[in-house]
PDB file of all heavy atoms in Angstrom:
ATOM      1  N   LEU F   1       0.360 158.636 -79.617  1.00  0.00           N
ATOM      2  CA  LEU F   1       0.173 157.381 -78.898  1.00  0.00           C
ATOM      3  C   LEU F   1       0.321 156.176 -79.820  1.00  0.00           C
ATOM      4  O   LEU F   1       0.570 155.069 -79.347  1.00  0.00           O
ATOM      5  CB  LEU F   1      -1.208 157.355 -78.249  1.00  0.00           C
ATOM      6  CG  LEU F   1      -1.492 158.489 -77.244  1.00  0.00           C
ATOM      7  CD1 LEU F   1      -2.920 158.409 -76.753  1.00  0.00           C
ATOM      8  CD2 LEU F   1      -0.506 158.430 -76.079  1.00  0.00           C
ATOM      9  N   ALA F   2       0.189 156.389 -81.123  1.00  0.00           N
ATOM     10  CA  ALA F   2       0.311 155.279 -82.072  1.00  0.00           C
ATOM     11  C   ALA F   2       1.722 154.705 -82.094  1.00  0.00           C
ATOM     12  O   ALA F   2       1.924 153.581 -82.561  1.00  0.00           O
ATOM     13  CB  ALA F   2      -0.101 155.726 -83.473  1.00  0.00           C
ATOM     14  N   SER F   3       2.693 155.451 -81.587  1.00  0.00           N
ATOM     15  CA  SER F   3       4.068 154.943 -81.566  1.00  0.00           C
ATOM     16  C   SER F   3       4.284 153.931 -80.450  1.00  0.00           C
ATOM     17  O   SER F   3       5.278 153.201 -80.456  1.00  0.00           O
ATOM     18  CB  SER F   3       5.059 156.103 -81.398  1.00  0.00           C
ATOM     19  OG  SER F   3       4.896 156.725 -80.126  1.00  0.00           O
ATOM     20  N   ARG F   4       3.372 153.861 -79.482  1.00  0.00           N
ATOM     21  CA  ARG F   4       3.458 152.870 -78.408  1.00  0.00           C
ATOM     22  C   ARG F   4       2.666 151.638 -78.806  1.00  0.00           C
ATOM     23  O   ARG F   4       1.487 151.747 -79.147  1.00  0.00           O
ATOM     24  CB  ARG F   4       2.888 153.425 -77.096  1.00  0.00           C
ATOM     25  CG  ARG F   4       3.396 154.789 -76.677  1.00  0.00           C
ATOM     26  CD  ARG F   4       4.857 154.777 -76.271  1.00  0.00           C
ATOM     27  NE  ARG F   4       5.162 155.843 -75.336  1.00  0.00           N
ATOM     28  CZ  ARG F   4       5.354 157.116 -75.664  1.00  0.00           C
ATOM     29  NH1 ARG F   4       5.230 157.484 -76.934  1.00  0.00           N
ATOM     30  NH2 ARG F   4       5.643 158.010 -74.733  1.00  0.00           N
ATOM     31  N   PRO F   5       3.246 150.463 -78.806  1.00  0.00           N
ATOM     32  CA  PRO F   5       2.500 149.261 -79.208  1.00  0.00           C
ATOM     33  C   PRO F   5       1.269 149.067 -78.318  1.00  0.00           C
ATOM     34  O   PRO F   5       1.388 148.919 -77.095  1.00  0.00           O
ATOM     35  CB  PRO F   5       3.510 148.133 -79.004  1.00  0.00           C
ATOM     36  CG  PRO F   5       4.856 148.792 -78.982  1.00  0.00           C
ATOM     37  CD  PRO F   5       4.638 150.156 -78.410  1.00  0.00           C
ATOM     38  N   PHE F   6       0.078 149.085 -78.926  1.00  0.00           N
ATOM     39  CA  PHE F   6      -1.121 148.965 -78.098  1.00  0.00           C
ATOM     40  C   PHE F   6      -1.166 147.627 -77.374  1.00  0.00           C
ATOM     41  O   PHE F   6      -1.689 147.544 -76.250  1.00  0.00           O
ATOM     42  CB  PHE F   6      -2.395 149.133 -78.925  1.00  0.00           C
ATOM     43  CG  PHE F   6      -3.629 148.886 -78.100  1.00  0.00           C
ATOM     44  CD1 PHE F   6      -4.040 149.825 -77.169  1.00  0.00           C
ATOM     45  CD2 PHE F   6      -4.324 147.691 -78.199  1.00  0.00           C
ATOM     46  CE1 PHE F   6      -5.140 149.588 -76.359  1.00  0.00           C
ATOM     47  CE2 PHE F   6      -5.435 147.445 -77.404  1.00  0.00           C
ATOM     48  CZ  PHE F   6      -5.846 148.402 -76.475  1.00  0.00           C
ATOM     49  N   ALA F   7      -0.637 146.566 -77.989  1.00  0.00           N
ATOM     50  CA  ALA F   7      -0.663 145.262 -77.320  1.00  0.00           C
ATOM     51  C   ALA F   7       0.075 145.317 -75.981  1.00  0.00           C
ATOM     52  O   ALA F   7      -0.311 144.630 -75.031  1.00  0.00           O
ATOM     53  CB  ALA F   7      -0.049 144.194 -78.221  1.00  0.00           C
ATOM     54  N   ARG F   8       1.125 146.121 -75.891  1.00  0.00           N
ATOM     55  CA  ARG F   8       1.843 146.290 -74.627  1.00  0.00           C
ATOM     56  C   ARG F   8       0.980 147.078 -73.634  1.00  0.00           C
ATOM     57  O   ARG F   8       0.904 146.733 -72.443  1.00  0.00           O
ATOM     58  CB  ARG F   8       3.171 147.007 -74.878  1.00  0.00           C
ATOM     59  CG  ARG F   8       3.925 147.428 -73.619  1.00  0.00           C
ATOM     60  CD  ARG F   8       4.263 146.256 -72.723  1.00  0.00           C
ATOM     61  NE  ARG F   8       5.144 146.668 -71.628  1.00  0.00           N
ATOM     62  CZ  ARG F   8       5.356 145.957 -70.540  1.00  0.00           C
ATOM     63  NH1 ARG F   8       4.732 144.783 -70.383  1.00  0.00           N
ATOM     64  NH2 ARG F   8       6.185 146.394 -69.603  1.00  0.00           N
ATOM     65  N   VAL F   9       0.309 148.129 -74.115  1.00  0.00           N
ATOM     66  CA  VAL F   9      -0.585 148.899 -73.259  1.00  0.00           C
ATOM     67  C   VAL F   9      -1.699 148.001 -72.727  1.00  0.00           C
ATOM     68  O   VAL F   9      -2.036 148.032 -71.541  1.00  0.00           O
ATOM     69  CB  VAL F   9      -1.173 150.090 -74.030  1.00  0.00           C
ATOM     70  CG1 VAL F   9      -2.229 150.806 -73.196  1.00  0.00           C
ATOM     71  CG2 VAL F   9      -0.078 151.065 -74.448  1.00  0.00           C
ATOM     72  N   ALA F  10      -2.270 147.173 -73.626  1.00  0.00           N
ATOM     73  CA  ALA F  10      -3.346 146.270 -73.214  1.00  0.00           C
ATOM     74  C   ALA F  10      -2.860 145.277 -72.162  1.00  0.00           C
ATOM     75  O   ALA F  10      -3.583 144.935 -71.226  1.00  0.00           O
ATOM     76  CB  ALA F  10      -3.883 145.528 -74.433  1.00  0.00           C
ATOM     77  N   GLN F  11      -1.613 144.829 -72.317  1.00  0.00           N
ATOM     78  CA  GLN F  11      -1.035 143.898 -71.350  1.00  0.00           C
ATOM     79  C   GLN F  11      -0.933 144.545 -69.978  1.00  0.00           C
ATOM     80  O   GLN F  11      -1.270 143.934 -68.948  1.00  0.00           O
ATOM     81  CB  GLN F  11       0.345 143.462 -71.851  1.00  0.00           C
ATOM     82  CG  GLN F  11       1.060 142.442 -71.000  1.00  0.00           C
ATOM     83  CD  GLN F  11       2.465 142.167 -71.540  1.00  0.00           C
ATOM     84  OE1 GLN F  11       3.414 142.897 -71.267  1.00  0.00           O
ATOM     85  NE2 GLN F  11       2.588 141.104 -72.324  1.00  0.00           N
ATOM     86  N   LEU F  12      -0.498 145.791 -69.942  1.00  0.00           N
ATOM     87  CA  LEU F  12      -0.340 146.497 -68.673  1.00  0.00           C
ATOM     88  C   LEU F  12      -1.686 146.807 -68.019  1.00  0.00           C
ATOM     89  O   LEU F  12      -1.819 146.780 -66.797  1.00  0.00           O
ATOM     90  CB  LEU F  12       0.452 147.788 -68.888  1.00  0.00           C
ATOM     91  CG  LEU F  12       1.929 147.610 -69.248  1.00  0.00           C
ATOM     92  CD1 LEU F  12       2.527 148.916 -69.729  1.00  0.00           C
ATOM     93  CD2 LEU F  12       2.714 147.072 -68.043  1.00  0.00           C
ATOM     94  N   LEU F  13      -2.689 147.098 -68.839  1.00  0.00           N
ATOM     95  CA  LEU F  13      -4.004 147.439 -68.309  1.00  0.00           C
ATOM     96  C   LEU F  13      -4.874 146.214 -68.035  1.00  0.00           C
ATOM     97  O   LEU F  13      -5.855 146.293 -67.299  1.00  0.00           O
ATOM     98  CB  LEU F  13      -4.747 148.354 -69.291  1.00  0.00           C
ATOM     99  CG  LEU F  13      -4.263 149.807 -69.389  1.00  0.00           C
ATOM    100  CD1 LEU F  13      -5.002 150.527 -70.509  1.00  0.00           C
ATOM    101  CD2 LEU F  13      -4.464 150.534 -68.067  1.00  0.00           C
ATOM    102  N   GLY F  14      -4.521 145.083 -68.644  1.00  0.00           N
ATOM    103  CA  GLY F  14      -5.371 143.904 -68.529  1.00  0.00           C
ATOM    104  C   GLY F  14      -6.577 143.945 -69.452  1.00  0.00           C
ATOM    105  O   GLY F  14      -7.636 143.389 -69.139  1.00  0.00           O
ATOM    106  N   VAL F  15      -6.431 144.594 -70.603  1.00  0.00           N
ATOM    107  CA  VAL F  15      -7.530 144.708 -71.570  1.00  0.00           C
ATOM    108  C   VAL F  15      -7.729 143.377 -72.284  1.00  0.00           C
ATOM    109  O   VAL F  15      -6.777 142.790 -72.799  1.00  0.00           O
ATOM    110  CB  VAL F  15      -7.240 145.822 -72.598  1.00  0.00           C
ATOM    111  CG1 VAL F  15      -8.339 145.878 -73.652  1.00  0.00           C
ATOM    112  CG2 VAL F  15      -7.098 147.165 -71.904  1.00  0.00           C
ATOM    113  N   ARG F  16      -8.965 142.916 -72.331  1.00  0.00           N
ATOM    114  CA  ARG F  16      -9.297 141.685 -73.047  1.00  0.00           C
ATOM    115  C   ARG F  16     -10.195 141.957 -74.255  1.00  0.00           C
ATOM    116  O   ARG F  16     -10.483 141.055 -75.043  1.00  0.00           O
ATOM    117  CB  ARG F  16     -10.018 140.712 -72.103  1.00  0.00           C
ATOM    118  CG  ARG F  16      -9.172 140.264 -70.911  1.00  0.00           C
ATOM    119  CD  ARG F  16      -8.038 139.356 -71.362  1.00  0.00           C
ATOM    120  NE  ARG F  16      -7.218 138.909 -70.228  1.00  0.00           N
ATOM    121  CZ  ARG F  16      -6.119 139.511 -69.825  1.00  0.00           C
ATOM    122  NH1 ARG F  16      -5.703 140.593 -70.481  1.00  0.00           N
ATOM    123  NH2 ARG F  16      -5.421 139.068 -68.801  1.00  0.00           N
ATOM    124  N   ASP F  17     -10.642 143.183 -74.391  1.00  0.00           N
ATOM    125  CA  ASP F  17     -11.574 143.555 -75.444  1.00  0.00           C
ATOM    126  C   ASP F  17     -10.821 143.883 -76.737  1.00  0.00           C
ATOM    127  O   ASP F  17      -9.599 144.078 -76.726  1.00  0.00           O
ATOM    128  CB  ASP F  17     -12.379 144.776 -74.989  1.00  0.00           C
ATOM    129  CG  ASP F  17     -13.655 144.962 -75.792  1.00  0.00           C
ATOM    130  OD1 ASP F  17     -14.138 143.960 -76.362  1.00  0.00           O
ATOM    131  OD2 ASP F  17     -14.170 146.095 -75.834  1.00  0.00           O
ATOM    132  N   ALA F  18     -11.562 143.936 -77.850  1.00  0.00           N
ATOM    133  CA  ALA F  18     -11.003 144.299 -79.157  1.00  0.00           C
ATOM    134  C   ALA F  18     -11.739 145.529 -79.686  1.00  0.00           C
ATOM    135  O   ALA F  18     -12.884 145.796 -79.293  1.00  0.00           O
ATOM    136  CB  ALA F  18     -11.161 143.140 -80.138  1.00  0.00           C
ATOM    137  N   PRO F  19     -11.089 146.331 -80.559  1.00  0.00           N
ATOM    138  CA  PRO F  19     -11.755 147.523 -81.093  1.00  0.00           C
ATOM    139  C   PRO F  19     -13.103 147.202 -81.724  1.00  0.00           C
ATOM    140  O   PRO F  19     -13.257 146.207 -82.431  1.00  0.00           O
ATOM    141  CB  PRO F  19     -10.749 148.025 -82.137  1.00  0.00           C
ATOM    142  CG  PRO F  19      -9.424 147.555 -81.639  1.00  0.00           C
ATOM    143  CD  PRO F  19      -9.701 146.208 -81.033  1.00  0.00           C
ATOM    144  N   ARG F  20     -14.087 148.071 -81.474  1.00  0.00           N
ATOM    145  CA  ARG F  20     -15.443 147.856 -81.981  1.00  0.00           C
ATOM    146  C   ARG F  20     -15.853 148.857 -83.049  1.00  0.00           C
ATOM    147  O   ARG F  20     -16.741 148.582 -83.844  1.00  0.00           O
ATOM    148  CB  ARG F  20     -16.441 147.923 -80.817  1.00  0.00           C
ATOM    149  CG  ARG F  20     -16.202 146.881 -79.740  1.00  0.00           C
ATOM    150  CD  ARG F  20     -17.266 146.942 -78.685  1.00  0.00           C
ATOM    151  NE  ARG F  20     -16.995 146.021 -77.593  1.00  0.00           N
ATOM    152  CZ  ARG F  20     -17.849 145.767 -76.612  1.00  0.00           C
ATOM    153  NH1 ARG F  20     -19.027 146.357 -76.599  1.00  0.00           N
ATOM    154  NH2 ARG F  20     -17.521 144.931 -75.648  1.00  0.00           N
ATOM    155  N   PHE F  21     -15.250 150.043 -83.009  1.00  0.00           N
ATOM    156  CA  PHE F  21     -15.535 151.056 -84.023  1.00  0.00           C
ATOM    157  C   PHE F  21     -14.186 151.600 -84.479  1.00  0.00           C
ATOM    158  O   PHE F  21     -13.464 152.239 -83.710  1.00  0.00           O
ATOM    159  CB  PHE F  21     -16.413 152.159 -83.443  1.00  0.00           C
ATOM    160  CG  PHE F  21     -16.888 153.177 -84.461  1.00  0.00           C
ATOM    161  CD1 PHE F  21     -16.975 152.881 -85.813  1.00  0.00           C
ATOM    162  CD2 PHE F  21     -17.264 154.452 -84.047  1.00  0.00           C
ATOM    163  CE1 PHE F  21     -17.420 153.811 -86.740  1.00  0.00           C
ATOM    164  CE2 PHE F  21     -17.704 155.400 -84.960  1.00  0.00           C
ATOM    165  CZ  PHE F  21     -17.785 155.074 -86.305  1.00  0.00           C
ATOM    166  N   VAL F  22     -13.825 151.310 -85.739  1.00  0.00           N
ATOM    167  CA  VAL F  22     -12.514 151.653 -86.282  1.00  0.00           C
ATOM    168  C   VAL F  22     -12.700 152.464 -87.553  1.00  0.00           C
ATOM    169  O   VAL F  22     -13.506 152.092 -88.423  1.00  0.00           O
ATOM    170  CB  VAL F  22     -11.682 150.394 -86.579  1.00  0.00           C
ATOM    171  CG1 VAL F  22     -10.316 150.770 -87.157  1.00  0.00           C
ATOM    172  CG2 VAL F  22     -11.508 149.550 -85.322  1.00  0.00           C
ATOM    173  N   VAL F  23     -11.967 153.546 -87.673  1.00  0.00           N
ATOM    174  CA  VAL F  23     -12.010 154.387 -88.869  1.00  0.00           C
ATOM    175  C   VAL F  23     -10.582 154.585 -89.359  1.00  0.00           C
ATOM    176  O   VAL F  23      -9.724 155.069 -88.618  1.00  0.00           O
ATOM    177  CB  VAL F  23     -12.660 155.755 -88.590  1.00  0.00           C
ATOM    178  CG1 VAL F  23     -12.752 156.565 -89.889  1.00  0.00           C
ATOM    179  CG2 VAL F  23     -14.044 155.585 -87.968  1.00  0.00           C
ATOM    180  N   SER F  24     -10.325 154.208 -90.600  1.00  0.00           N
ATOM    181  CA  SER F  24      -8.991 154.340 -91.196  1.00  0.00           C
ATOM    182  C   SER F  24      -9.057 155.337 -92.350  1.00  0.00           C
ATOM    183  O   SER F  24     -10.022 155.343 -93.119  1.00  0.00           O
ATOM    184  CB  SER F  24      -8.511 152.980 -91.703  1.00  0.00           C
ATOM    185  OG  SER F  24      -7.305 153.108 -92.436  1.00  0.00           O
TER     186      SER F  24
END
């Protein structure tokens, strides 16, 4: 799923939130 730009996914879903727990 990382190959799909998340910003595009967020646009389609109407997501306004930002990641809250991130592990790299």
Side-chain angles (χ1 to χ4, degrees):
L1 301 176
S3 65
R4 311 291 206 281
F6 175 74
R8 171 59 172 164
V9 173
Q11 183 184 83
L12 291 168
L13 287 174
V15 176
R16 298 290 180 266
D17 199 23
R20 300 184 184 188
F21 186 24
V22 180
V23 183
S24 172

